[in-house]
Amino acid sequence: MTITSATITSATDTHCPYCALQCGMRLTPAGRTVEVAPREFPTNRGGLCRKGWTAAEVLTVGDRVTRPLVRDADGDLVAATWERALAVVADGLRDVRRRHGADAVGVFGGGGLTNEKAYHLGKFARVALGTSRIDYNGRFCMSSAAAAANRALGVDRGLPFPVTDLDAASTILLLGSNPAATMPPLLSHLQGARERGGLVVVDPRRSQTAELTAEGGGTHLAPAPGTDLVLLLGLTHVVLAEGLADEAYLGERTEGLRELRLSVNAWWPERVQQVTGVPVGRIRDVARRLAAGNGVYVITGRGVEQHVDGTDTATAAINLALVLGLVGRPGSGYGTLTGQGNGQGGREHGQKCDQLPGYRSISDPAARKHMAGVWGVAADELPGPGLPAVELLASMGRPGGVRALLVHGSNVVVSAPDAGAVRAGLGGLDLLVVCDFVLSETAELADVVLPVTQWAEEEGTTTSLEGRVLRRRAAVPPPGEARSDLWVLAELARLLDAPGAWPTEPAQVFDELARASAGGPADYSGLSHRLLDTGVAAYWPCPAHVIPEPGSRVTVEGDVVGTPRLFADRFPRPGGRARLVPVTPVVREPLGQRGGQLTMITGRLLEHYQSGAQTRRVPELLAAQPRLTAELHPATASRLRLVEGDEVSVRSPRGSVRARLRLSPGMRLDTVFLPFHYAGAECTNLLTEAAVDPVSRMPEFKRTLVVVGPPDDEADQEDLP
């Protein structure tokens, strides 16, 4: 339906637009905007972080895009009618396809899009454009964990259990995540383990979350950047060597133990200490604690996954959890913390280059036939697998590569690795179209900018990090001429004479998504907006037969439908067993420390989110963290003759950035930390390399060799790799 002021109720229950906790909110209209109040919901328990409290300010920012913009002959973006803007896009797409073929058109999506938008974007790429060249920014943050879970457990769901299960934990091994900054309401679910002395945080930094291990709260392990895989192999070695493994569980529910045992034999604690810097005693103590208690969880985050061996590292974490007998048992488990608001649903319904809706493989003939039937096209007309995000962006403007790009819900010129090369690639396109609600750094480069709705102005669904499907509800009309991405895609499909139906009502799109997902790993076929509006807690898989039959994997428990906890009886793999996958690290030499050379790790701040396109427009958040900072250990700064507050230059072979120096005794001596929320001369991804994991194709954001020094330091960079 079209949202107007007449259709808005006095208060609207919805969810936060930021991280995958999807905290509960209540919005009350206040003129052109809304007042935000937290509401009781399992993930946030009536609390919000600073980003959530200030989320409404983005609705009325001064540079909100409210009319289509088209670049004129003078190179300026000027207001245009929708008819004119869509005609420019459609004509440009037809011209590129005619001259270069269907795969010369690329589509880049985002993990913040609703399920309905993500689904229609994938359909639009494959049916209306006929291109295989679609991927999304989730490739930058969730793909390694997804690849590891799929090959070991048979399915990828961030947390295969509700977040509230963590409350009763005695021990939580948290690897490469800083939820105190990224999703603060999660901390209430870690409090029980902390009170029991069982919060184990693995992070090269003494992050805000690592600080929670102080005063008996647990243990902080600070391995050298890029050595998390070796640390996990060492922990697994101790568990197996000391007879601490759950042999009964391994015999009944897994395969591959012999090969795994052989693969970790070489990683005794003393050797692991040499590689990681983590003391032998800490390694043994943590392994024994994990094996000794009830209520034990292994949780990973981007810090251990955004590496060229990220899939293997996530696999090693799963192996450790399986050896301990944690996965699929009540009160224990393995999971990964999804970052973006709909990072889970965004990858389930067709934005990834190798997936079809329902988390089906695009290479599976049966999946292709099913989708062709839903979409009303022939199966052989659907394109095959495309290029993952880094390769897709690298192909821009090159012979045989992408010549036109449509961007929805992403800011690639800030968020992609080697951002300088990405900017150059965007400049080589024949057509760049950006759908956004603000003039992001990527939108500023576009030939056409199409104004779209954001969270409080639209109906739809998202899927939280725990696989729970949630209703997003409109609380205020969109400003000016802003339209939903669903309407934009439907209009372009019409102009391009695309086959099939292109509904614009979110409930109708969801119904099609549900049919499309039926029978797939992420089965939503039993869900609808109408069912979700009852307030039921719905977890996928939730097939159409929502009332369980004998042997059904669907449960109905009070106000719960679907599968809140996976793997209770079997794993969705051949024989129903999880697979222990041996992984072998390629031990890389420690990065150099001559002169100002350090290992740069990137991450997030409490006040900002992703590329900062939203949060840098909120005065309160920007005032708290107004510019890029480089965090160094005081001893390292002293060696470099730098002091707190200095303006510094951070350089890599790909570029340089300016930052303000911040000293922290919680940093390793060989490491510098930079957040990635800033743009222009403060864009951290100007430094990162477009090196990717060979399985997941995720970039390595967490291990970049840099030189730190005064801005006027002309130090030779020839020794930088």
mmCIF file of all heavy atoms in Angstrom, residues 244-265:
data_model
loop_
_atom_site.group_PDB
_atom_site.id
_atom_site.type_symbol
_atom_site.label_atom_id
_atom_site.label_comp_id
_atom_site.label_asym_id
_atom_site.label_seq_id
_atom_site.Cartn_x
_atom_site.Cartn_y
_atom_site.Cartn_z
ATOM 1 N N LEU A 244 39.779 -34.858 26.405
ATOM 2 C CA LEU A 244 38.671 -34.013 26.837
ATOM 3 C C LEU A 244 37.528 -33.980 25.826
ATOM 4 O O LEU A 244 36.498 -33.348 26.082
ATOM 5 C CB LEU A 244 39.172 -32.583 27.083
ATOM 6 C CG LEU A 244 40.338 -32.437 28.068
ATOM 7 C CD1 LEU A 244 40.795 -30.982 28.128
ATOM 8 C CD2 LEU A 244 39.927 -32.930 29.448
ATOM 9 N N ALA A 245 37.709 -34.637 24.684
ATOM 10 C CA ALA A 245 36.688 -34.608 23.641
ATOM 11 C C ALA A 245 35.478 -35.434 24.045
ATOM 12 O O ALA A 245 35.571 -36.369 24.860
ATOM 13 C CB ALA A 245 37.267 -35.137 22.335
ATOM 14 N N ASP A 246 34.330 -35.101 23.462
ATOM 15 C CA ASP A 246 33.096 -35.864 23.698
ATOM 16 C C ASP A 246 33.055 -37.001 22.682
ATOM 17 O O ASP A 246 32.495 -36.876 21.588
ATOM 18 C CB ASP A 246 31.888 -34.937 23.543
ATOM 19 C CG ASP A 246 30.596 -35.592 24.017
ATOM 20 O OD1 ASP A 246 30.461 -36.818 23.858
ATOM 21 O OD2 ASP A 246 29.717 -34.869 24.527
ATOM 22 N N GLU A 247 33.666 -38.103 23.041
ATOM 23 C CA GLU A 247 33.818 -39.212 22.100
ATOM 24 C C GLU A 247 32.474 -39.806 21.683
ATOM 25 O O GLU A 247 32.305 -40.212 20.525
ATOM 26 C CB GLU A 247 34.711 -40.301 22.714
ATOM 27 C CG GLU A 247 36.131 -39.858 23.030
ATOM 28 C CD GLU A 247 36.977 -39.635 21.778
ATOM 29 O OE1 GLU A 247 36.527 -40.025 20.688
ATOM 30 O OE2 GLU A 247 38.083 -39.069 21.906
ATOM 31 N N ALA A 248 31.528 -39.878 22.600
ATOM 32 C CA ALA A 248 30.218 -40.435 22.250
ATOM 33 C C ALA A 248 29.526 -39.569 21.201
ATOM 34 O O ALA A 248 28.988 -40.078 20.208
ATOM 35 C CB ALA A 248 29.353 -40.561 23.502
ATOM 36 N N TYR A 249 29.538 -38.272 21.402
ATOM 37 C CA TYR A 249 28.944 -37.339 20.439
ATOM 38 C C TYR A 249 29.636 -37.456 19.088
ATOM 39 O O TYR A 249 28.990 -37.518 18.029
ATOM 40 C CB TYR A 249 29.063 -35.921 20.982
ATOM 41 C CG TYR A 249 28.592 -34.820 20.045
ATOM 42 C CD1 TYR A 249 27.302 -34.303 20.132
ATOM 43 C CD2 TYR A 249 29.455 -34.270 19.095
ATOM 44 C CE1 TYR A 249 26.886 -33.276 19.299
ATOM 45 C CE2 TYR A 249 29.042 -33.250 18.253
ATOM 46 C CZ TYR A 249 27.757 -32.755 18.359
ATOM 47 O OH TYR A 249 27.352 -31.752 17.521
ATOM 48 N N LEU A 250 30.972 -37.483 19.108
ATOM 49 C CA LEU A 250 31.722 -37.568 17.863
ATOM 50 C C LEU A 250 31.378 -38.838 17.099
ATOM 51 O O LEU A 250 31.242 -38.820 15.871
ATOM 52 C CB LEU A 250 33.226 -37.514 18.158
ATOM 53 C CG LEU A 250 33.763 -36.147 18.602
ATOM 54 C CD1 LEU A 250 35.164 -36.282 19.176
ATOM 55 C CD2 LEU A 250 33.753 -35.175 17.440
ATOM 56 N N GLY A 251 31.227 -39.951 17.808
ATOM 57 C CA GLY A 251 30.904 -41.208 17.147
ATOM 58 C C GLY A 251 29.500 -41.243 16.580
ATOM 59 O O GLY A 251 29.265 -41.851 15.528
ATOM 60 N N GLU A 252 28.567 -40.591 17.259
ATOM 61 C CA GLU A 252 27.163 -40.636 16.837
ATOM 62 C C GLU A 252 26.801 -39.571 15.805
ATOM 63 O O GLU A 252 25.941 -39.790 14.956
ATOM 64 C CB GLU A 252 26.254 -40.468 18.058
ATOM 65 C CG GLU A 252 26.348 -41.587 19.072
ATOM 66 C CD GLU A 252 25.631 -41.250 20.366
ATOM 67 O OE1 GLU A 252 25.022 -40.160 20.447
ATOM 68 O OE2 GLU A 252 25.704 -42.069 21.302
ATOM 69 N N ARG A 253 27.467 -38.412 15.859
ATOM 70 C CA ARG A 253 26.939 -37.276 15.113
ATOM 71 C C ARG A 253 27.917 -36.628 14.130
ATOM 72 O O ARG A 253 27.566 -35.644 13.477
ATOM 73 C CB ARG A 253 26.431 -36.201 16.085
ATOM 74 C CG ARG A 253 25.371 -36.706 17.072
ATOM 75 C CD ARG A 253 24.440 -35.614 17.488
ATOM 76 N NE ARG A 253 23.762 -35.015 16.347
ATOM 77 C CZ ARG A 253 23.015 -33.913 16.419
ATOM 78 N NH1 ARG A 253 22.879 -33.292 17.573
ATOM 79 N NH2 ARG A 253 22.436 -33.424 15.345
ATOM 80 N N THR A 254 29.142 -37.143 14.025
ATOM 81 C CA THR A 254 30.115 -36.522 13.133
ATOM 82 C C THR A 254 30.823 -37.565 12.282
ATOM 83 O O THR A 254 30.761 -38.771 12.542
ATOM 84 C CB THR A 254 31.178 -35.724 13.912
ATOM 85 O OG1 THR A 254 32.053 -36.633 14.592
ATOM 86 C CG2 THR A 254 30.540 -34.773 14.906
ATOM 87 N N GLU A 255 31.544 -37.068 11.279
ATOM 88 C CA GLU A 255 32.425 -37.909 10.474
ATOM 89 C C GLU A 255 33.724 -37.138 10.243
ATOM 90 O O GLU A 255 33.743 -35.909 10.265
ATOM 91 C CB GLU A 255 31.770 -38.251 9.133
ATOM 92 C CG GLU A 255 31.468 -37.043 8.259
ATOM 93 C CD GLU A 255 30.711 -37.407 6.991
ATOM 94 O OE1 GLU A 255 30.013 -38.440 7.002
ATOM 95 O OE2 GLU A 255 30.823 -36.650 6.007
ATOM 96 N N GLY A 256 34.812 -37.887 10.064
ATOM 97 C CA GLY A 256 36.092 -37.256 9.762
ATOM 98 C C GLY A 256 36.999 -37.047 10.949
ATOM 99 O O GLY A 256 37.983 -36.296 10.851
ATOM 100 N N LEU A 257 36.728 -37.714 12.076
ATOM 101 C CA LEU A 257 37.533 -37.480 13.275
ATOM 102 C C LEU A 257 38.985 -37.894 13.071
ATOM 103 O O LEU A 257 39.902 -37.186 13.506
ATOM 104 C CB LEU A 257 36.938 -38.222 14.473
ATOM 105 C CG LEU A 257 37.740 -38.116 15.783
ATOM 106 C CD1 LEU A 257 37.875 -36.659 16.216
ATOM 107 C CD2 LEU A 257 37.081 -38.948 16.886
ATOM 108 N N ARG A 258 39.223 -39.019 12.428
ATOM 109 C CA ARG A 258 40.604 -39.487 12.259
ATOM 110 C C ARG A 258 41.433 -38.453 11.499
ATOM 111 O O ARG A 258 42.554 -38.118 11.903
ATOM 112 C CB ARG A 258 40.615 -40.821 11.510
ATOM 113 C CG ARG A 258 42.023 -41.372 11.280
ATOM 114 C CD ARG A 258 41.973 -42.727 10.566
ATOM 115 N NE ARG A 258 43.316 -43.230 10.320
ATOM 116 C CZ ARG A 258 44.076 -42.886 9.274
ATOM 117 N NH1 ARG A 258 43.606 -42.019 8.388
ATOM 118 N NH2 ARG A 258 45.294 -43.402 9.130
ATOM 119 N N GLU A 259 40.885 -37.940 10.406
ATOM 120 C CA GLU A 259 41.616 -36.955 9.610
ATOM 121 C C GLU A 259 41.830 -35.661 10.393
ATOM 122 O O GLU A 259 42.897 -35.036 10.304
ATOM 123 C CB GLU A 259 40.864 -36.669 8.312
ATOM 124 C CG GLU A 259 40.799 -37.844 7.343
ATOM 125 C CD GLU A 259 39.714 -38.852 7.698
ATOM 126 O OE1 GLU A 259 38.984 -38.620 8.700
ATOM 127 O OE2 GLU A 259 39.592 -39.870 6.993
ATOM 128 N N LEU A 260 40.826 -35.259 11.174
ATOM 129 C CA LEU A 260 40.984 -34.055 11.977
ATOM 130 C C LEU A 260 42.078 -34.240 13.016
ATOM 131 O O LEU A 260 42.916 -33.352 13.233
ATOM 132 C CB LEU A 260 39.672 -33.694 12.670
ATOM 133 C CG LEU A 260 39.762 -32.465 13.583
ATOM 134 C CD1 LEU A 260 39.906 -31.197 12.749
ATOM 135 C CD2 LEU A 260 38.563 -32.362 14.504
ATOM 136 N N ARG A 261 42.079 -35.407 13.668
ATOM 137 C CA ARG A 261 43.086 -35.662 14.702
ATOM 138 C C ARG A 261 44.500 -35.568 14.115
ATOM 139 O O ARG A 261 45.392 -34.956 14.709
ATOM 140 C CB ARG A 261 42.844 -37.049 15.315
ATOM 141 C CG ARG A 261 43.604 -37.291 16.614
ATOM 142 C CD ARG A 261 43.385 -38.709 17.097
ATOM 143 N NE ARG A 261 42.021 -38.976 17.465
ATOM 144 C CZ ARG A 261 41.497 -38.749 18.667
ATOM 145 N NH1 ARG A 261 42.246 -38.206 19.612
ATOM 146 N NH2 ARG A 261 40.240 -39.070 18.919
ATOM 147 N N LEU A 262 44.685 -36.135 12.934
ATOM 148 C CA LEU A 262 45.994 -36.072 12.288
ATOM 149 C C LEU A 262 46.369 -34.625 11.958
ATOM 150 O O LEU A 262 47.527 -34.221 12.086
ATOM 151 C CB LEU A 262 45.986 -36.920 11.008
ATOM 152 C CG LEU A 262 45.933 -38.439 11.200
ATOM 153 C CD1 LEU A 262 45.751 -39.132 9.847
ATOM 154 C CD2 LEU A 262 47.207 -38.940 11.877
ATOM 155 N N SER A 263 45.371 -33.826 11.562
ATOM 156 C CA SER A 263 45.660 -32.459 11.123
ATOM 157 C C SER A 263 46.060 -31.541 12.271
ATOM 158 O O SER A 263 46.758 -30.540 12.047
ATOM 159 C CB SER A 263 44.447 -31.873 10.396
ATOM 160 O OG SER A 263 43.393 -31.588 11.297
ATOM 161 N N VAL A 264 45.633 -31.837 13.487
ATOM 162 C CA VAL A 264 45.979 -30.962 14.618
ATOM 163 C C VAL A 264 47.142 -31.503 15.438
ATOM 164 O O VAL A 264 47.596 -30.830 16.372
ATOM 165 C CB VAL A 264 44.755 -30.728 15.542
ATOM 166 C CG1 VAL A 264 43.618 -30.084 14.769
ATOM 167 C CG2 VAL A 264 44.306 -32.007 16.230
ATOM 168 N N ASN A 265 47.628 -32.693 15.095
ATOM 169 C CA ASN A 265 48.723 -33.279 15.873
ATOM 170 C C ASN A 265 49.938 -32.371 15.935
ATOM 171 O O ASN A 265 50.660 -32.340 16.940
ATOM 172 C CB ASN A 265 49.131 -34.630 15.266
ATOM 173 C CG ASN A 265 48.267 -35.767 15.766
ATOM 174 O OD1 ASN A 265 47.507 -35.597 16.728
ATOM 175 N ND2 ASN A 265 48.356 -36.923 15.122
#
